[in-house]
């Protein structure tokens, strides 16, 4: 059984096919004394005189008012069909002078009718059927009327149906393809009413028939769609207003809760702030579940994401307050943070993801659980679209974790990037914290920070202990280094850099050895121990041997009857050795390798062009000699010449 849509398409196709056969059946009836080809001059467009001459020769052979109009009125009078009959225009009866006294209908204007189904709805697809666009297509007119009487009611449940039974009444009466002005109506459905050059499907200007139909389509059909759209818009606006109000209430409540938590925290009322922030997180989470059922902008859960992230941030600050600092964070709370982070990832909540990840990293660092923090950092992904503030925090925590794990190069990269991205007009405390850690990492890498770093605006007093430590490392004075660390130990522990700075003792010793190596060609181990503040000569020997092995100094430890001393090697002119040539060779080799790789990557597959060339020239069946390149042929010719001589 055919579906409604397939049957309707088949019926329309039948109407079109029968329209073509209808022309052949009446072709003999439409013969006139003057054929159009006998009028006018060949190769020259018709003017007004030629059109009038042609129209005078067109003979009326049937009546639109007797054949078509009564059938349309019958459709209007039949309520079971549920059809609306609309007169969408009139057409002047352009008759010939010879017919003016022969028929009483000649002075009437042709009414143009459209039939529509009554239950029109924008939710259903539209079907548009026309008949009689060409007057000699009789079966198209009759087929459209037959469809309205027999099938339109059935298909109106699934489609909006609009039928124009007879577009060109004048052509229908005279069984002509053209209208009274000698124009094909089927080539003139141009909404703009003008000829568009180069448009093959619409080369003619709009005629009276097409213009009336276009106006009707734009007004009547558009009006029905607008009326229904207005009704839907009113209903949507009412529903949207309710959703907007409820969505705004959720966001306002969560925002006020966050302000209350912040106020209690600033007043050091940590117990009430802790209880309130837990309740606020639960309320906001419930609001998000309710808001997830809607897709509207202000009522959706997207507006609650930053507020939930802020509440988690306040919870972290409350737990780190002086009253709570000595309390261990419950294991259950860490599990809640992990679960909340997992849910944020599922719902693609970027703000909460970034905030919770930074909170967990900070918590693990404060608990000195560096390895667990590294595992969390390695197995998690920081969202790329997170805010710049959260990104800076993540870079800082990542750099601190890597510094504690002796990965100084990676830590320096993270901290430098964090300092560049940090806001310059605010967050001075955060920038000071990052700069302190960056200075220590640079010292551990064997680099000395520039003096301008310690003189930055607002950082001079905060970085004063680190300036003294840097000066001690630069001079290689271990005694001054230890005294400076001892003097500011409380400050360094509060900054969280004391553990890293304690590793700098080796750097101080190395710097002192470099200075001694530069100043003395020969120095005893006792003097080295005295100058570097080491316990005895044995400790000095151990330190010097390690420095020699690491390449810090170029010297030899000698034990003889005179005692133990360190003999520095004479400085050799490096340009008198092969080292510059070897370095230059390595650079040239690198450049050549890069060039060759680039050229190789741009080449086509081997011999691929040969196949394309043969296919284009029809050379598939030639011998194998044609596959040889010019270079191969030249080499063979040269070999043959060598053999001859």
């Amino acid at each position: 059984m055919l579906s409604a849509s397939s049957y309707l398409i088949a019926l329309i196709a039948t109407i079109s096919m029968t329209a073509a056969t209808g022309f052949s059946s009446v072709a003999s009836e439409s013969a006139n004394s003057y054929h159009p080809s006998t009028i006018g001059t060949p190769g020259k467009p018709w003017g007004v005189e030629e059109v009038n001459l042609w129209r005078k020769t067109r003979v009326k052979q049937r009546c639109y008012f007797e054949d078509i109009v009564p059938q349309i009125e019958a459709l209007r009078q039949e309520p079971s069909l549920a059809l609306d009959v609309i007169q969408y225009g009139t057409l002047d009866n352009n008759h010939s002078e010879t017919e003016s006294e022969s028929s009483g209908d000649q002075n009437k204007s042709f009414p143009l009718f459209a039939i529509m189904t009554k239950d029109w709805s924008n939710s259903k697809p539209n079907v548009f059927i026309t008949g009689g666009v060409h007057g000699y297509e009789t079966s198209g007119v009759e087929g459209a009327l037959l469809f309205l009487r027999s099938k339109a009611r059935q298909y109106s449940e699934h489609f909006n149906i609009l039928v124009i039974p007879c577009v060109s009444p004048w052509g229908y009466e005279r069984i002509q393809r053209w209208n009274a002005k000698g124009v094909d109506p089927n080539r003139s459905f141009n909404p703009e009413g003008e000829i568009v050059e180069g448009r093959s499907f619409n080369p003619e200007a709009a005629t009276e028939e097409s213009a009336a139909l276009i106006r009707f389509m734009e007004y009547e059909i558009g009006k029905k769609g607008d009326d229904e759209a207005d009704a839907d818009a009113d209903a949507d606006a009412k529903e949207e207003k309710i959703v907007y109000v409820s969505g705004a209430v959720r966001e306002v409540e969560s925002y006020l809760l966050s302000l209350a938590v912040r106020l209690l925290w600033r007043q050091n009322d940590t117990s009430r702030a802790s209880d309130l922030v837990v309740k606020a997180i639960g309320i906001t989470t419930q609001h998000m579940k309710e808001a997830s059922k809607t897709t509207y902008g202000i009522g959706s859960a997207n507006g609650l994401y930053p507020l939930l992230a802020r509440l988690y941030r306040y919870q972290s600050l409350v737990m780190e307050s002086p009253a709570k600092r000595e309390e261990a964070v419950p294991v259950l709370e860490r599990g809640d943070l992990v679960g909340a982070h997992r849910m944020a990832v599922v719902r693609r909540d970027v703000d909460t993801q970034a905030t919770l990840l930074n909170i967990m990293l900070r918590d693990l660092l404060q608990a000195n659980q560096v390895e667990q923090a590294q595992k969390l950092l390695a197995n998690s992904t920081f969202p790329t679209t997170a805010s710049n503030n959260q990104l800076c925090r993540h870079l800082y925590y990542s750099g601190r974790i890597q510094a504690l794990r002796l990965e100084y190069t990676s830590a320096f990269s993270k901290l430098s990037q964090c300092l560049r991205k940090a806001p310059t007009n605010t967050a001075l405390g955060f920038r000071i914290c990052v700069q302190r850690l960056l200075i220590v990492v640079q010292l551990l890498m064997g680099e000395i920070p520039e003096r301008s770093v310690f003189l930055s605006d607002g950082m001079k007093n905060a970085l004063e202990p680190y300036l003294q430590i840097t000066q001690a490392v630069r001079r290689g004075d271990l005694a001054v280094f230890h005294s400076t660390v001892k003097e500011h130990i409380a400050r360094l522990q509060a900054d969280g850099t004391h553990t890293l700075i304690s590793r700098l003792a080796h750097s101080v010793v190395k710097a002192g050895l470099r200075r001694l190596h530069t100043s003395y060609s020969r120095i005893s181990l006792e003097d080295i121990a005295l100058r570097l503040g080491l316990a005895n000569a044995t400790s000095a020997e151990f330190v010097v041997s390690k420095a020699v092995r690491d390449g810090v100094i170029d010297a030899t430890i000698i034990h003889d009857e005179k005692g133990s001393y360190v003999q520095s090697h004479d400085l050799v002119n490096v340009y008198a050795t092969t080292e510059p040539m070897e370095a230059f060779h390595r650079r040239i080799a690198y450049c050549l390798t890069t060039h060759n790789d680039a050229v190789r990557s741009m080449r086509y597959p081997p011999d691929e062009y040969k196949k394309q060339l043969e296919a284009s020239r029809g050379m598939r069946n030639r011998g194998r000699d044609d596959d040889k390149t010019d270079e191969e042929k030249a080499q063979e010719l040269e070999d043959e010449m060598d053999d001859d001589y």
Side-chain angles (χ1 to χ4, degrees):
M1 179 179 293
L2 292 175
S3 62
S5 59
S6 61
Y7 183 86
L8 184 58
I9 294 172
L11 180 58
I12 296 172
T14 304
I15 293 174
S16 301
M17 292 171 62
T18 55
T21 59
F23 167 64
S24 61
S25 64
V26 299
S28 60
E29 301 178 8
S30 62
N32 295 278
S33 58
Y34 286 90
H35 193 272
S37 62
T38 63
I39 300 175
T41 303
K44 181 179 179 181
W46 281 5
V48 177
E49 295 181 358
E50 288 82 0
V51 173
N52 291 335
L53 176 60
W54 171 81
R55 187 167 56 242
K56 289 178 181 180
T57 61
R58 302 304 100 184
V59 179
K60 178 180 177 180
Q61 303 184 47
R62 54 191 175 188
C63 183
Y64 174 75
F65 295 95
E66 296 176 0
D67 299 342
I68 306 302
V69 175
Q71 297 187 58
I72 296 176
E73 292 298 332
L75 296 174
R76 189 201 302 269
Q77 300 299 327
E78 183 58 46
S80 62
L81 298 178
L83 298 174
D84 287 334
V85 179
I86 303 172
Q87 181 178 344
Y88 65 87
T90 58
L91 190 65
D92 292 338
N93 190 353
N94 297 287
H95 55 82
S96 61
E97 296 176 357
T98 59
E99 297 174 349
S100 60
E101 297 177 357
S102 61
S103 176
D105 294 332
Q106 296 301 324
N107 294 326
K108 295 182 181 180
S109 297
F110 293 116
L112 302 175
F113 293 102
I115 296 92
M116 305 173 60
T117 52
K118 288 188 176 182
D119 51 349
W120 196 280
S121 175
N122 282 347
S123 61
K124 296 187 294 186
N126 300 330
V127 176
F128 180 40
I129 303 174
T130 61
V133 177
H134 297 144
Y136 55 46
E137 296 172 349
T138 307
S139 56
V141 180
E142 297 295 340
L145 293 172
L146 176 61
F147 169 75
L148 290 171
R149 290 193 298 267
S150 59
K151 298 295 182 182
R153 179 59 177 169
Q154 174 184 353
Y155 292 108
S156 62
E157 299 178 0
H158 308 285
F159 303 95
N160 300 321
I161 302 175
L162 171 63
V163 179
I164 310 296
C166 188
V167 176
S168 180
W170 187 92
Y172 172 81
E173 288 188 342
R174 290 155 181 81
I175 314 181
Q176 293 293 316
R177 178 182 180 90
W178 299 343
N179 64 1
K181 295 184 179 180
V183 179
D184 187 347
N186 196 35
R187 298 292 185 267
S188 61
F189 283 92
N190 191 345
E192 302 298 332
E194 59 185 6
I195 297 176
V196 180
E197 296 182 2
R199 184 187 295 174
S200 60
F201 57 87
N202 229 355
E204 302 291 345
T207 62
E208 296 179 9
E209 294 87 351
S210 60
L213 184 54
I214 291 171
R215 286 194 301 269
F216 170 72
M217 294 285 288
E218 291 177 346
Y219 174 75
E220 189 66 26
I221 306 303
K223 180 181 178 183
K224 285 183 177 291
D226 293 341
D227 293 343
E228 187 167 348
D230 292 341
D232 295 339
D234 294 339
D236 293 341
K238 185 177 180 180
E239 180 182 358
E240 190 173 334
K241 183 177 181 180
I242 297 174
V243 174
Y244 278 7
V245 172
S246 61
V249 169
R250 300 190 196 103
E251 295 181 10
V252 170
E253 182 180 7
S254 300
Y255 178 69
L256 292 177
L257 286 172
S258 66
L259 290 181
V261 172
R262 179 180 176 83
L263 180 62
L264 293 174
W265 170 64
R266 296 295 292 269
Q267 294 176 353
N268 293 326
D269 193 351
T270 56
S271 59
R272 293 176 60 190
S274 178
D275 296 338
L276 181 59
V277 73
V278 173
K279 295 179 181 178
I281 291 175
I283 293 172
T284 304
T285 304
Q286 183 62 30
H287 286 339
M288 293 177 64
K289 293 179 180 179
E290 297 173 357
S292 62
K293 301 177 182 179
T294 180
T295 58
Y296 294 94
I298 196 171
S300 64
N302 296 338
L304 295 171
Y305 292 164
L307 297 174
L308 182 61
R310 177 180 294 184
L311 288 173
Y312 278 116
R313 173 63 178 167
Y314 287 159
Q315 184 185 33
S316 174
L317 294 176
V318 169
M319 298 303 296
E320 295 173 6
S321 59
K324 296 276 185 178
R325 184 170 296 174
E326 297 181 358
E327 299 181 10
V329 180
V331 177
L332 179 61
E333 184 174 338
R334 287 185 179 176
D336 293 341
L337 292 177
V338 173
H341 180 268
R342 185 182 299 112
M343 289 302 300
V345 173
V346 171
R347 64 173 177 261
R348 299 181 181 179
D349 181 0
V350 175
D351 297 318
T352 308
Q353 285 182 54
T355 302
L356 288 174
L357 183 58
N358 288 335
I359 289 174
M360 290 187 287
L361 290 175
R362 180 184 178 91
D363 178 40
L364 292 172
L365 284 173
Q366 288 185 342
N368 294 324
Q369 298 178 357
V370 180
E371 291 302 321
Q372 287 82 350
Q374 172 60 24
K375 291 180 180 178
L376 176 61
L377 188 65
N379 296 324
S380 61
T381 302
F382 189 79
T384 56
T385 57
S387 64
N388 184 69
N389 293 343
Q390 295 298 334
L391 176 60
C392 291
R393 291 191 181 101
H394 185 73
L395 291 172
Y396 170 71
Y397 296 140
S398 301
R400 184 162 184 168
I401 292 171
Q402 292 169 346
L404 292 172
R405 299 184 74 251
L406 306 180
E407 299 174 2
Y408 300 129
T409 303
S410 300
F412 179 78
S413 176
K414 295 288 186 183
L415 294 173
S416 300
Q417 186 179 1
C418 174
L419 197 60
R420 289 195 302 269
K421 290 182 176 293
T424 57
N425 53 348
T426 58
L428 178 61
F430 178 76
R431 287 189 284 115
I432 291 175
C433 188
V434 176
Q435 188 66 70
R436 287 189 300 224
L437 185 58
L438 184 61
I439 290 172
V440 176
V441 170
Q442 279 188 273
L443 293 174
L444 289 171
M445 292 174 62
E447 300 178 1
I448 303 298
E450 297 182 1
R451 188 176 182 83
S452 59
V453 172
F454 303 94
L455 303 178
S456 301
D457 295 338
M459 296 186 182
K460 186 175 181 180
N461 294 331
L463 299 180
E464 180 63 28
Y466 297 88
L467 175 60
Q468 297 177 12
I469 292 174
T470 302
Q471 291 173 345
V473 172
R474 184 174 179 273
R475 291 195 301 266
D477 195 333
L478 193 60
V480 175
F481 172 78
H482 285 307
S483 62
T484 304
V485 172
K486 185 177 181 180
E487 179 183 356
H488 301 285
I489 186 171
R491 176 77 172 275
L492 299 177
Q493 290 177 346
D495 295 342
T497 57
H498 180 263
T499 302
L500 295 174
I501 288 177
S502 62
R503 302 176 186 175
L504 287 174
H506 299 288
S507 300
V508 176
V509 172
K510 290 179 181 179
L513 281 176
R514 289 193 191 97
R515 294 187 62 189
L516 293 176
H517 177 263
T518 304
S519 303
Y520 299 95
S521 61
R522 178 176 178 178
I523 185 171
S524 64
L525 293 177
E526 290 79 3
D527 291 340
I528 293 176
L530 180 63
R531 292 177 180 274
L532 295 181
L534 300 177
N536 47 45
T538 304
S539 298
E541 183 178 2
F542 172 77
V543 170
V544 172
S545 61
K546 188 176 185 302
V548 172
R549 186 191 65 179
D550 295 341
V552 178
I553 59 176
D554 185 14
T556 303
I557 300 177
I558 300 175
H559 299 280
D560 55 14
E561 63 278 0
K562 297 181 180 179
S564 300
Y565 59 92
V566 177
Q567 179 68 47
S568 299
H569 295 169
D570 294 335
L571 294 177
V572 181
N573 183 10
V574 68
Y575 293 100
T577 65
T578 60
E579 184 176 353
M581 181 183 65
E582 294 174 355
F584 188 61
H585 175 71
R586 287 194 298 269
R587 293 184 182 181
I588 294 176
Y590 172 77
C591 294
L592 290 177
T593 303
T594 304
H595 173 268
N596 294 335
D597 291 343
V599 173
R600 194 176 297 112
S601 64
M602 293 187 294
R603 287 179 178 175
Y604 293 99
D607 299 336
E608 186 68 20
Y609 72 97
K610 295 181 181 179
K611 299 178 181 179
Q612 298 177 358
L613 186 61
E614 291 175 0
S616 62
R617 297 182 179 179
M619 300 170 60
R620 286 290 185 183
N621 298 325
R622 290 198 175 185
R624 296 180 58 186
D625 293 338
D626 294 336
D627 293 337
K628 298 179 180 179
T629 61
D630 294 340
E631 291 79 5
E632 294 174 347
K633 294 179 180 179
Q635 184 64 34
E636 291 181 358
L637 181 60
E638 185 176 354
D639 294 341
E640 292 176 359
M641 295 178 64
D642 292 339
D643 294 337
D644 294 339
Y645 293 98

